[in-house]
Amino acid sequence: MQNRTLEVGVGLFLLAGMLALMLLALRVSGLAVGAGEDTYKVYAHFDNIAGLTVRSKVTMAGVSIGKVTAIDLDRDSYTGRVTMELNKDVDNLPIDSTASILTAGLLGEKYVGISVGGEEELLADGGTIHDTQSSLVLEELIGKFLLNSVNKDSAN
Amino acid sequence: MRRKSPLERVQLLGRAGIDVVTSLGRSTIFLLAALFGRGTSGKFTQLLIKQLYSVGVMSLAIIVVSGVFIGMVLSLQGFSILAAYGSEQAVGQMIALTLLRELGPVVTALLFAGRAGSALTAEIGNMKSTEQLSSLAMIGVDPLKYIVAPRLWAGFISMPLLAMIFSVVGIWGGSMVAIDWLGVYEGSFWSNMQNSVSFTDDVVNGIIKSIVFAFVVTWIAVFQGYDCEPTSEGISRATTRTVVYASLAVLGLDFILTALMFGDF
């Protein structure tokens, strides 16, 4: 009898441990089971990716359709090359679609937004989005604004 | 007392150094013999279950209670800091990353050293001082196999599980405070957390940490008990040493492991 309580207690303990691992995997880290295969790769070159990070989401019409998997510098064109993995069920993007880096809220995280183009031809696996809009950099904006007001002053 | 000559001081230093090295060597031989040595292990599963109960199950209460409170405190503190930047939604990811990467493994190891490690040392030390260990050896049962090995394995198995339970309970406590009390929107709380926590980088690295800590803490606890001076004073000193050494080893190793895992930004 004594032995049985021990074994039940240990069994429950081990179960609790495994349950904890499952919760951490599914609920906390959002690990999806068996969702590794059904994506395809698309590249986009940006003049400035400022603030975009790996694992940022890729959205279309506000709906998340993929994520950024790699960011590196293209040595030839001196632009930032962003590698995105898009869900296979969104495979009808025209090749002249636009990718822009957007910000959630004023200081929130950066993400890639894709808006549809008009071409018949579709983006294939490994294709590149050519029409891109870079991230909004606050310093540049302020710089332009200051320059404008200086020009106005000197014009007067 | 006369003054010591410089040569004698050097001799004392050398003696201390030799003591440290011999004790390291003895504890390594002890560990290897207990884990991999040949011997009777017919009743090993039963012995292991008994130790899993006293080391793991009995530590659950303190782990769960401290996990809930630490999660709640993290949530409150994180909220008050993040609210200044208007990003209260990030409190979920802050709690999850703090617990999974650092507090889960480390606090569990510290509590484990205090709760289970000291008990292991005292128990084995008491067995040694009442000559139970030598009696076992005399009737042909290897105390390393019969007493030490089940306790070592029980520690190795239960601590990673305890650390994971700690993290889960802490995140639950934190979400309770953040969502129900402070009014963070539930959807962004969880989605922010899921976006920023990676299974391989954060969860698995946390588990690796807790496995390393389990190894070190249990090893120190069992060896201190096995190696203690067989008097009541010796047992009390060994128990103190267990808690102090284990805590220091955990905190030091945590820095090294963190630097290895998350240092390359």
Side-chain angles (χ1 to χ4, degrees), chain A residues 2 5 8 15 29 31-32 43 63 69 96 117 120 131 141:
Chain A
Q2 171 73 42
T5 3
V8 170
L15 271 181
S29 67
L31 193 75
Y43 302 97
V63 182
T69 53
D96 64 339
E120 294 276 301
D131 193 2
L141 212 66

Side-chain angles (χ1 to χ4, degrees), chain B residues 44-183:
Chain B
F44 184 73
T45 346
Q46 274 194 346
L47 292 170
L48 180 65
I49 284 176
K50 204 171 160 204
Q51 287 312 315
L52 272 176
Y53 189 82
S54 67
V55 166
V57 179
M58 300 302 275
S59 309
L60 259 181
I62 186 174
I63 293 290
V64 167
V65 172
S66 23
V68 170
F69 280 118
I70 285 183
M72 293 192 332
V73 166
L74 272 178
S75 188
L76 275 174
Q77 291 283 9
F79 184 86
S80 68
I81 294 171
L82 289 169
Y85 300 97
S87 44
E88 302 93 50
Q89 292 82 12
V91 75
Q93 96 194 44
M94 193 212 78
I95 297 171
L97 289 178
T98 324
L99 279 171
L100 287 172
R101 288 180 174 183
E102 292 297 334
L103 290 184
V106 172
V107 176
T108 307
L110 295 180
L111 291 174
F112 190 84
R115 164 67 184 74
S118 55
L120 284 177
T121 307
E123 189 188 10
I124 296 179
N126 199 27
M127 282 181 183
K128 188 178 182 185
S129 71
T130 51
E131 295 183 347
Q132 292 179 49
L133 292 185
S134 35
S135 322
L136 275 177
M138 201 137 89
I139 59 170
V141 178
D142 185 357
L144 281 183
K145 278 281 135 193
Y146 191 77
I147 302 289
V148 171
R151 284 168 173 73
L152 281 173
W153 282 113
F156 297 165
I157 294 171
S158 43
M159 205 155 94
L161 295 177
L162 287 172
M164 283 189 284
I165 294 172
F166 184 93
S167 298
V168 166
V169 167
I171 290 170
W172 175 73
S175 74
M176 216 166 52
V177 167
I179 295 168
D180 298 334
W181 183 6
L182 299 170

Side-chain angles (χ1 to χ4, degrees), chain A residues 112-141:
Chain A
V112 179
I114 297 182
S115 34
V116 209
E119 286 274 346
E120 294 276 301
E121 217 176 318
L122 297 177
L123 270 175
D125 185 21
T128 306
I129 297 178
H130 294 285
D131 193 2
T132 59
Q133 230 171 42
S134 293
S135 176
L136 181 88
V137 180
L138 217 54
E139 288 94 326
E140 282 177 10
L141 212 66

Side-chain angles (χ1 to χ4, degrees), chain A residues 3 5-7 9-10 13-14 16-18 20-21 23-31 55 109, chain B residues 46 49-50 52-53 57 60 100 158 161-162 164-165 168 171 190 193-199 207:
Chain A
N3 214 0
T5 3
L6 273 184
E7 284 172 359
V10 172
F13 171 59
L14 295 178
M18 283 182 246
L21 179 64
L23 276 176
L24 286 183
L26 299 177
R27 182 83 176 146
V28 177
S29 67
L31 193 75
R55 282 198 285 149
E109 49 173 348
Chain B
Q46 274 194 346
I49 284 176
K50 204 171 160 204
L52 272 176
Y53 189 82
V57 179
L60 259 181
L100 287 172
S158 43
L161 295 177
L162 287 172
M164 283 189 284
I165 294 172
V168 166
I171 290 170
W190 291 110
M193 187 188 291
Q194 290 175 355
N195 278 337
S196 58
V197 176
S198 128
F199 183 73
I207 294 173

Side-chain angles (χ1 to χ4, degrees), chain A:
Chain A
M1 197 59 209
Q2 171 73 42
N3 214 0
R4 195 158 153 239
T5 3
L6 273 184
E7 284 172 359
V8 170
V10 172
L12 285 178
F13 171 59
L14 295 178
L15 271 181
M18 283 182 246
L19 188 77
L21 179 64
M22 262 176 48
L23 276 176
L24 286 183
L26 299 177
R27 182 83 176 146
V28 177
S29 67
L31 193 75
V33 185
E37 287 304 296
D38 49 352
T39 58
Y40 67 105
K41 267 195 183 132
V42 169
Y43 302 97
H45 294 258
F46 291 96
D47 290 337
N48 193 341
I49 60 112
L52 193 72
T53 53
V54 174
R55 282 198 285 149
S56 298
K57 59 184 174 179
V58 179
T59 64
M60 170 160 245
V63 182
S64 180
I65 57 165
K67 61 180 179 192
V68 174
T69 53
I71 295 173
D72 38 23
L73 184 74
D74 185 1
R75 277 176 53 99
D76 301 325
S77 62
Y78 304 106
T79 52
R81 193 182 65 160
V82 173
T83 313
M84 298 175 276
E85 276 185 7
L86 306 183
N87 294 343
K88 205 75 190 198
D89 45 332
V90 195
D91 58 353
N92 54 348
L93 296 177
I95 57 166
D96 64 339
S97 300
T98 314
S100 34
I101 296 178
L102 305 168
T103 312
L106 194 58
L107 297 167
E109 49 173 348
K110 304 271 182 188
Y111 64 98
V112 179
I114 297 182
S115 34
V116 209
E119 286 274 346
E120 294 276 301
E121 217 176 318
L122 297 177
L123 270 175
D125 185 21
T128 306
I129 297 178
H130 294 285
D131 193 2
T132 59
Q133 230 171 42
S134 293
S135 176
L136 181 88
V137 180
L138 217 54
E139 288 94 326
E140 282 177 10
L141 212 66
I142 294 171
K144 269 183 203 163
F145 177 72
L146 286 179
L147 204 66
N148 270 347
S149 50
V150 168
N151 284 346
K152 245 184 245 166
D153 284 351
S154 53
N156 293 342

